[in-house]
Amino acid sequence: MSTETSESAALPPTRPSSTPSRRTFIATTSAAGGVIAAGGLVAAPSALAVEEAVAAETPVPSSRVSLTVNGRRHTVTVDNRTSLLDLLREHLGLTGSKKGCNAGACGACTVLVDGRRVNSCLTLAVRLDGADVTTVEGLAKGDQLHPLQQAFIDQDAFQCGYCTPGQIVSGVGCVQEGHTGSAEEIREWMSGNICRCGCYVKIVRAVEQASGRK
């Protein structure tokens, strides 16, 4: 009679191990991470709300500015971040100067400050205390159009008209500066004003007419 025991009979019955398997560990860790991440997402709006509330309670820096616009003196209190363009359009109701790119690249907002051409969208209003500003509304004298305004009509130098106020004011500055010796010179000194309709040839002719060259 054999006395050998089989291997299966010799080993005690196996029990479930208390140590988690690799698969179980990864699954548990991922689930916990998801809960933490979800908790973070829930908490974020609360922190943002606190920041917004603090910002709302912080007073906005403002200044009192006095300047002359088209011959009239105006004194206003504005946010220090207000551009001259927004001051003209939103505070004084002078909407002739257009907001095109709002980055100083198109010239639609061109006005004259102390006789000098500037992009009003890039000019802070608080820096112009005591300045003399001329917009397209201030060029005509009553019912009599400025010579360049009349030249734009005579030369049909506009289509959609959006850039026209800036083109005319810039053209007035170009004439006053004496940069009208030739069509090429006019193009160079008017190059900061973009016309998306492509009326450049007629715009140059209008500036030539207003300057007496044509």
Side-chain angles (χ1 to χ4, degrees):
M1 181 176 179
S2 174
T3 59
E4 294 180 0
T5 59
S6 66
E7 185 175 84
S8 59
L11 296 176
T14 59
R15 296 179 181 179
S17 172
S18 59
T19 303
S21 67
R22 181 172 178 273
R23 178 177 297 176
T24 303
F25 175 78
I26 292 175
T28 304
T29 304
S30 299
V35 171
I36 294 172
L41 289 174
V42 172
S46 299
L48 180 60
V50 171
E51 292 179 4
E52 290 177 346
V54 172
E57 294 176 359
T58 303
V60 177
S62 60
S63 299
R64 193 173 180 83
V65 182
S66 294
L67 67 168
T68 301
V69 181
N70 299 331
R72 295 184 58 186
R73 191 73 171 175
H74 298 273
T75 299
V76 294
T77 299
V78 295
D79 183 327
N80 287 351
R81 300 164 294 182
T82 302
S83 67
L84 173 58
L85 178 60
D86 285 338
L87 171 65
L88 294 171
R89 292 179 59 85
E90 306 299 334
H91 294 264
L92 303 184
L94 297 172
T95 57
S97 304
K98 303 306 181 187
K99 182 175 286 191
C101 65
N102 207 33
C106 73
C109 66
T110 304
V111 299
L112 301 177
V113 176
D114 296 329
R116 182 174 58 90
R117 291 180 283 176
V118 302
N119 291 318
S120 59
C121 69
L122 296 183
T123 305
L124 289 175
V126 295
R127 300 185 62 185
L128 299 180
D129 192 53
D132 189 346
V133 180
T134 302
T135 70
V136 69
E137 291 94 338
L139 295 178
K141 295 181 179 180
D143 294 333
Q144 183 180 357
L145 295 177
H146 185 280
L148 187 54
Q149 290 176 310
Q150 185 61 54
F152 262 67
I153 295 173
D154 296 341
Q155 299 295 335
D156 193 22
F158 49 85
Q159 287 189 36
C160 79
Y162 194 84
C163 75
T164 302
Q167 296 278 2
I168 290 176
V169 174
S170 185
V172 170
C174 187
V175 172
Q176 292 177 351
E177 294 160 12
H179 298 303
T180 58
S182 65
E184 291 73 20
E185 185 178 13
I186 292 172
R187 291 191 188 97
E188 175 65 25
W189 288 91
M190 290 286 291
S191 60
N193 291 80
I194 306 301
C195 175
R196 301 188 188 280
C197 300
C199 292
Y200 296 111
V201 172
K202 295 181 178 180
I203 289 172
V204 170
R205 289 175 182 168
V207 175
E208 287 179 323
Q209 176 180 319
S211 67
R213 290 192 64 251
K214 186 174 182 178

